[in-house]
Amino acid sequence: MSEQSGPSDQSGQPNHSGYSGSSGYSEKDVQREVSDLEAKSATAARIFDLRRIIGGLFVLYGVIVTITGLTDSAAEIDKAQGVNINLWTGLGMLLLGIFFLAWLKLRPTPPPTPPTPETETAPGPRDEPDAPAR
């Protein structure tokens, strides 16, 4: 009779009803894969931060409108009662876009911290009803 490592049922076949650890992956491999996925998730969160998108669009449109304001003719400025509205709007958009990008640089999104096993299994304080007033 051959000796088998691991649980088996009456027929001698290995029991695969639960995880027996024979998947070929070590705990170190699984941890490395999880940490790689967490790093990719944090990178994706930083890439798609709304401050980056809003700031980038305001800077792009601000440059376009500022260039338009610099090339406006006297007739176009007279239509706006002597105010070069394209130039001032473009500069305002540039400043707002730079503000968003500076905010992103000075206060980056912190990477999410994975929960520790101790905090997941630790029982919290029990909610007990208040004692009746006497």
Side-chain angles (χ1 to χ4, degrees):
M1 185 168 187
S2 67
E3 193 172 306
Q4 292 183 357
S5 63
S8 62
D9 60 9
Q10 296 278 342
S11 65
Q13 298 294 325
N15 184 2
H16 294 290
S17 62
Y19 176 74
S20 63
S22 63
S23 64
Y25 296 106
S26 69
E27 183 69 25
K28 189 176 182 180
D29 292 337
V30 173
Q31 289 292 355
R32 185 175 56 238
E33 185 70 24
V34 167
S35 64
D36 288 346
L37 289 173
E38 286 174 348
K40 288 178 184 177
S41 174
T43 301
R46 283 192 293 273
I47 288 173
F48 294 110
D49 190 351
L50 285 178
R51 296 174 292 182
R52 180 183 312 261
I53 295 169
I54 292 171
L57 285 174
F58 267 103
V59 166
L60 176 69
Y61 294 145
V63 167
I64 292 170
V65 175
T66 301
I67 290 172
T68 303
L70 291 173
T71 60
D72 277 347
S73 66
E76 291 171 337
I77 294 173
D78 288 340
K79 276 198 244 179
Q81 297 179 356
V83 177
N84 193 345
I85 194 72
N86 286 332
L87 179 64
W88 289 109
T89 303
L91 290 174
M93 291 174 78
L94 271 172
L95 287 175
L96 184 63
I98 290 170
F99 166 75
F100 271 96
L101 295 176
W103 180 22
L104 176 69
K105 185 73 172 174
L106 295 174
R107 296 203 122 184
T109 305
T113 56
T116 58
E118 295 85 31
T119 58
E120 289 178 352
T121 59
R126 295 183 182 201
D127 293 330
E128 296 182 20
D130 293 326
R134 294 185 193 199

